[in-house]
Amino acid sequence: WFGGEKLGSMRGTLRFVEMATDYWTSPMQHRLDDITNPLTRRTDHVGLLAAVMEMTPSVVPYAHGETLLPLTYYWIPRVIWPGKPEARLGNVWAKWYGFLDPGDTVTSFNLPWLVEFYLNFGVYGVLICMFLTGGIFFLVERLFARAQDEIVPFCAGLGICLTLWYAESNFALMWGNTPVKIIILLI
């Protein structure tokens, strides 16, 4: 790709077919590893949690709720607050732990809720925050999703719950605009 060699359409196509043939005729385990290893790393919240637990607070101090503070203002529309801080936590937290290069200003590294709760408050933070999160889910589900006779509240609850169910991105990012959604749905 970066070899600097100029290939015409025909030679480029032949090279591609040759590479694809080599890949797909190689042993199956090699191909499965190429697919499953990156996928496993991407979805492995337990491995990420273990890495963060190993470094917190000995290398990286607890954040003491810093990553959750945006919950206080994420719900404010930019029309009202044009200078509202941008959501850059996906880049910032990964630099704290050395998962991203310090000069990288573009890449976003998802911060799962369990990891976020731990890096803020430790084990007790995970227990308390997950308990509170479960309580909020219970209330949202009770208020909206159980309205079996009423289709409008059910659809509203579904619209709210579906966006909250993504525990791979940081908590404030996923929950921050929920009050605005509820107000808009009520209107």
Side-chain angles (χ1 to χ4, degrees), residues 81-118:
W81 184 10
K84 181 172 76 169
E86 292 184 10
R88 299 274 182 213
L89 182 62
N91 181 268
V92 173
W93 89 272
K95 289 179 185 175
W96 295 344
Y97 287 89
F99 300 143
L100 290 177
D101 185 82
D104 185 342
T105 59
V106 179
T107 307
S108 182
F109 197 109
N110 283 347
L111 177 56
W113 298 354
L114 285 174
V115 178
E116 182 175 14
F117 296 152
Y118 184 86

